[in-house]
Every structure is written in C-alpha cells, then in structure tokens.
Short mmCIF file of all heavy atoms in Angstrom, two decimals:
data_model
loop_
_atom_site.label_atom_id
_atom_site.label_comp_id
_atom_site.label_asym_id
_atom_site.label_seq_id
_atom_site.Cartn_x
_atom_site.Cartn_y
_atom_site.Cartn_z
N ALA I 1 94.22 121.43 74.67
CA ALA I 1 95.24 120.88 75.56
C ALA I 1 94.70 120.69 76.92
O ALA I 1 94.97 119.60 77.60
CB ALA I 1 96.47 121.86 75.56
N GLY I 2 93.93 121.64 77.46
CA GLY I 2 93.39 121.47 78.80
C GLY I 2 92.38 120.46 78.94
O GLY I 2 92.38 119.66 79.95
N ALA I 3 91.52 120.24 77.88
CA ALA I 3 90.52 119.17 77.95
C ALA I 3 91.19 117.80 77.85
O ALA I 3 90.82 116.87 78.50
CB ALA I 3 89.52 119.34 76.84
N ALA I 4 92.26 117.72 77.08
CA ALA I 4 92.91 116.42 76.87
C ALA I 4 93.57 115.94 78.20
O ALA I 4 93.79 114.71 78.37
CB ALA I 4 93.93 116.48 75.72
N SER I 5 94.03 116.91 78.93
CA SER I 5 94.65 116.48 80.20
C SER I 5 93.84 116.48 81.39
O SER I 5 94.33 116.26 82.57
CB SER I 5 95.89 117.48 80.49
OG SER I 5 95.37 118.80 80.70
N ALA I 6 92.55 116.58 81.25
CA ALA I 6 91.54 116.61 82.30
C ALA I 6 91.36 115.18 82.93
O ALA I 6 91.61 114.29 82.30
CB ALA I 6 90.27 117.27 81.82
N ASP I 7 90.79 115.30 84.13
CA ASP I 7 90.58 113.96 84.89
C ASP I 7 89.55 113.13 84.08
O ASP I 7 89.62 111.92 84.09
CB ASP I 7 90.02 114.28 86.26
CG ASP I 7 91.05 114.96 87.17
OD1 ASP I 7 92.25 114.73 86.84
OD2 ASP I 7 90.68 115.48 88.20
N ALA I 8 88.56 113.77 83.43
CA ALA I 8 87.62 112.96 82.68
C ALA I 8 88.15 112.17 81.54
O ALA I 8 87.79 110.96 81.43
CB ALA I 8 86.47 113.89 82.12
N VAL I 9 89.13 112.72 80.86
CA VAL I 9 89.78 112.03 79.71
C VAL I 9 90.72 110.92 80.34
O VAL I 9 90.76 109.82 79.74
CB VAL I 9 90.46 113.03 78.87
CG1 VAL I 9 91.09 112.20 77.67
CG2 VAL I 9 89.49 113.98 78.23
N ARG I 10 91.47 111.27 81.40
CA ARG I 10 92.29 110.26 81.99
C ARG I 10 91.51 109.08 82.49
O ARG I 10 91.93 107.93 82.36
CB ARG I 10 93.14 110.90 83.07
CG ARG I 10 94.22 111.77 82.63
CD ARG I 10 95.24 111.98 83.69
NE ARG I 10 94.68 112.71 84.91
CZ ARG I 10 94.70 114.03 84.94
NH1 ARG I 10 95.30 114.78 84.05
NH2 ARG I 10 94.19 114.71 85.99
N GLY I 11 90.29 109.42 83.06
CA GLY I 11 89.46 108.33 83.55
C GLY I 11 88.91 107.44 82.43
O GLY I 11 88.84 106.19 82.59
N LEU I 12 88.57 108.01 81.28
CA LEU I 12 88.18 107.32 80.15
C LEU I 12 89.33 106.30 79.76
O LEU I 12 89.09 105.21 79.39
CB LEU I 12 87.84 108.29 79.00
CG LEU I 12 87.57 107.57 77.67
CD1 LEU I 12 86.24 106.78 77.74
CD2 LEU I 12 87.43 108.77 76.60
N GLY I 13 90.54 106.91 79.65
CA GLY I 13 91.68 106.02 79.24
C GLY I 13 91.86 104.77 80.24
O GLY I 13 92.21 103.75 79.82
N ASP I 14 91.76 105.16 81.53
CA ASP I 14 91.98 104.03 82.55
C ASP I 14 90.94 103.01 82.38
O ASP I 14 91.21 101.85 82.55
CB ASP I 14 91.87 104.73 83.92
CG ASP I 14 93.06 105.54 84.27
OD1 ASP I 14 94.14 105.48 83.60
OD2 ASP I 14 92.99 106.44 85.22
N ARG I 15 89.70 103.37 82.14
CA ARG I 15 88.62 102.36 81.85
C ARG I 15 88.84 101.50 80.71
O ARG I 15 88.58 100.28 80.74
CB ARG I 15 87.25 103.09 81.79
CG ARG I 15 86.79 103.74 83.14
CD ARG I 15 85.29 104.10 83.03
NE ARG I 15 85.12 105.15 82.08
CZ ARG I 15 85.17 106.48 82.35
NH1 ARG I 15 85.51 106.86 83.50
NH2 ARG I 15 84.96 107.32 81.32
N LEU I 16 89.39 102.05 79.61
CA LEU I 16 89.73 101.31 78.41
C LEU I 16 90.89 100.37 78.65
O LEU I 16 90.95 99.25 78.19
CB LEU I 16 90.05 102.33 77.31
CG LEU I 16 88.81 103.01 76.72
CD1 LEU I 16 89.27 104.13 75.67
CD2 LEU I 16 87.84 102.09 76.00
N VAL I 17 91.86 100.83 79.45
CA VAL I 17 92.97 100.02 79.78
C VAL I 17 92.49 98.78 80.70
O VAL I 17 92.86 97.59 80.41
CB VAL I 17 94.11 100.74 80.54
CG1 VAL I 17 95.12 99.79 81.20
CG2 VAL I 17 94.73 101.75 79.68
N ASP I 18 91.62 99.05 81.63
CA ASP I 18 91.03 97.96 82.47
C ASP I 18 90.26 96.97 81.70
O ASP I 18 90.22 95.74 81.91
CB ASP I 18 90.14 98.64 83.53
CG ASP I 18 90.98 99.38 84.58
OD1 ASP I 18 92.18 99.18 84.68
OD2 ASP I 18 90.37 100.27 85.30
N ALA I 19 89.58 97.49 80.59
CA ALA I 19 88.87 96.63 79.70
C ALA I 19 89.74 95.86 78.71
O ALA I 19 89.20 94.98 77.88
CB ALA I 19 87.83 97.35 78.94
N GLY I 20 90.99 96.15 78.65
CA GLY I 20 91.94 95.50 77.77
C GLY I 20 91.84 95.97 76.36
O GLY I 20 92.38 95.36 75.37
N LEU I 21 91.25 97.18 76.15
CA LEU I 21 91.13 97.76 74.75
C LEU I 21 92.18 98.87 74.46
O LEU I 21 92.42 99.10 73.32
CB LEU I 21 89.77 98.41 74.67
CG LEU I 21 88.58 97.37 74.88
CD1 LEU I 21 87.23 98.20 74.75
CD2 LEU I 21 88.55 96.29 73.88
N ALA I 22 92.80 99.39 75.51
CA ALA I 22 93.86 100.44 75.37
C ALA I 22 95.11 99.89 75.87
O ALA I 22 95.11 99.02 76.77
CB ALA I 22 93.46 101.71 76.02
N VAL I 23 96.23 100.28 75.31
CA VAL I 23 97.52 99.87 75.63
C VAL I 23 97.96 100.68 76.90
O VAL I 23 97.98 101.92 76.81
CB VAL I 23 98.57 100.10 74.46
CG1 VAL I 23 99.95 99.60 74.93
CG2 VAL I 23 98.13 99.33 73.26
N PRO I 24 98.30 100.04 78.05
CA PRO I 24 98.85 100.80 79.13
C PRO I 24 100.05 101.60 78.81
O PRO I 24 100.86 101.13 78.02
CB PRO I 24 99.09 99.64 80.22
CG PRO I 24 98.32 98.52 79.73
CD PRO I 24 98.30 98.60 78.22
N ALA I 25 100.19 102.74 79.44
CA ALA I 25 101.32 103.60 79.20
C ALA I 25 102.66 102.82 79.46
O ALA I 25 103.55 102.98 78.72
CB ALA I 25 101.22 104.84 79.99
N GLY I 26 102.67 102.03 80.49
CA GLY I 26 103.82 101.30 80.79
C GLY I 26 104.16 100.17 79.73
O GLY I 26 105.35 99.97 79.45
N ALA I 27 103.17 99.65 79.19
CA ALA I 27 103.42 98.62 78.11
C ALA I 27 104.02 99.33 76.87
O ALA I 27 104.82 98.73 76.14
CB ALA I 27 102.16 97.89 77.80
N ARG I 28 103.39 100.49 76.55
CA ARG I 28 103.90 101.15 75.31
C ARG I 28 105.44 101.57 75.48
O ARG I 28 106.20 101.33 74.67
CB ARG I 28 103.10 102.47 75.11
CG ARG I 28 101.75 102.30 74.67
CD ARG I 28 101.10 103.59 74.10
NE ARG I 28 101.00 104.62 75.08
CZ ARG I 28 99.97 104.87 75.82
NH1 ARG I 28 98.94 104.06 75.82
NH2 ARG I 28 99.97 105.80 76.72
N SER I 29 105.68 102.13 76.67
CA SER I 29 107.12 102.53 76.92
C SER I 29 108.00 101.36 77.13
O SER I 29 109.21 101.38 76.72
CB SER I 29 107.23 103.52 78.07
OG SER I 29 106.68 102.83 79.32
N GLY I 30 107.50 100.31 77.75
CA GLY I 30 108.26 99.09 78.00
C GLY I 30 108.69 98.39 76.78
O GLY I 30 109.88 97.97 76.57
N ILE I 31 107.79 98.18 75.82
CA ILE I 31 108.04 97.63 74.53
C ILE I 31 109.07 98.43 73.70
O ILE I 31 110.10 97.92 73.18
CB ILE I 31 106.80 97.28 73.78
CG1 ILE I 31 106.00 96.21 74.43
CG2 ILE I 31 107.16 96.84 72.29
CD1 ILE I 31 104.70 95.97 73.70
N ALA I 32 108.85 99.75 73.65
CA ALA I 32 109.64 100.60 72.90
C ALA I 32 111.10 100.66 73.45
O ALA I 32 112.10 100.56 72.79
CB ALA I 32 109.11 102.04 72.87
N SER I 33 111.18 100.68 74.88
CA SER I 33 112.38 100.68 75.51
C SER I 33 113.24 99.33 75.24
O SER I 33 114.39 99.28 75.09
CB SER I 33 112.36 100.94 76.98
OG SER I 33 113.49 100.89 77.63
N GLY I 34 112.36 98.21 75.32
CA GLY I 34 112.91 96.90 75.11
C GLY I 34 113.57 96.70 73.74
O GLY I 34 114.64 96.14 73.59
N VAL I 35 112.88 97.23 72.70
CA VAL I 35 113.29 97.16 71.30
C VAL I 35 114.65 97.95 71.26
O VAL I 35 115.59 97.49 70.61
CB VAL I 35 112.26 97.66 70.38
CG1 VAL I 35 112.85 97.83 68.92
CG2 VAL I 35 111.15 96.72 70.28
N ARG I 36 114.66 99.12 71.76
CA ARG I 36 115.85 99.98 71.72
C ARG I 36 117.04 99.19 72.36
O ARG I 36 118.24 99.30 71.93
CB ARG I 36 115.65 101.42 72.34
CG ARG I 36 114.74 102.25 71.47
CD ARG I 36 114.80 103.68 71.97
NE ARG I 36 114.36 103.77 73.32
CZ ARG I 36 113.03 104.05 73.69
NH1 ARG I 36 112.22 104.17 72.76
NH2 ARG I 36 112.69 104.21 74.96
N GLN I 37 116.83 98.58 73.49
CA GLN I 37 117.91 97.85 74.24
C GLN I 37 118.36 96.77 73.47
O GLN I 37 119.61 96.44 73.40
CB GLN I 37 117.40 97.45 75.58
CG GLN I 37 118.48 96.89 76.53
CD GLN I 37 117.98 96.63 77.89
OE1 GLN I 37 116.92 97.06 78.28
NE2 GLN I 37 118.87 96.11 78.71
N VAL I 38 117.46 95.99 72.72
CA VAL I 38 118.05 94.91 71.97
C VAL I 38 118.73 95.42 70.68
O VAL I 38 119.77 94.79 70.37
CB VAL I 38 116.80 94.00 71.46
CG1 VAL I 38 117.21 92.97 70.43
CG2 VAL I 38 116.13 93.38 72.64
N GLN I 39 118.36 96.50 70.15
CA GLN I 39 119.15 97.12 69.09
C GLN I 39 120.45 97.52 69.53
O GLN I 39 121.48 97.29 68.84
CB GLN I 39 118.34 98.27 68.49
CG GLN I 39 117.07 97.98 67.79
CD GLN I 39 116.24 99.19 67.40
OE1 GLN I 39 116.38 100.23 68.00
NE2 GLN I 39 115.39 99.01 66.41
N SER I 40 120.57 98.08 70.73
CA SER I 40 121.87 98.49 71.26
C SER I 40 122.77 97.28 71.51
O SER I 40 123.92 97.25 71.33
CB SER I 40 121.68 99.30 72.57
OG SER I 40 120.94 100.44 72.30
N ALA I 41 122.08 96.20 71.98
CA ALA I 41 122.80 94.97 72.27
C ALA I 41 123.34 94.39 71.00
O ALA I 41 124.62 93.90 71.04
CB ALA I 41 121.88 93.94 72.99
#
C-alpha cells in the first residue's frame, strides 16, 4: 500500500497519461459519472 501511493508510482502514472497510454483519473470518473447520469435521465 505504501509503495503504491508513493511519488515514484504517481509520477509513473502521470508520464503514461501524458503519453496518451493511461486513462486520466478525470476521464475515468467523468465517463462513469456521465453514464450514470444518462441512466438516471
């Protein structure tokens, strides 16, 4: 748990997002939230 939340791993994730290889956290939550909102609609 400690290693997974460390700066080194967060930096790795940020670099992958910048390279377009990882899904940004905002995109993951945005799509999921959008789907739920359309279902509610």
Side-chain angles (χ1 to χ4, degrees):
S5 61
D7 291 339
V9 179
R10 284 198 297 269
L12 174 67
D14 291 341
R15 291 192 296 272
L16 289 170
V17 169
D18 292 339
L21 301 177
V23 180
R28 290 196 298 269
S29 60
I31 291 175
S33 177
V35 168
R36 288 193 298 269
Q37 188 170 354
V38 174
Q39 290 172 338
S40 299

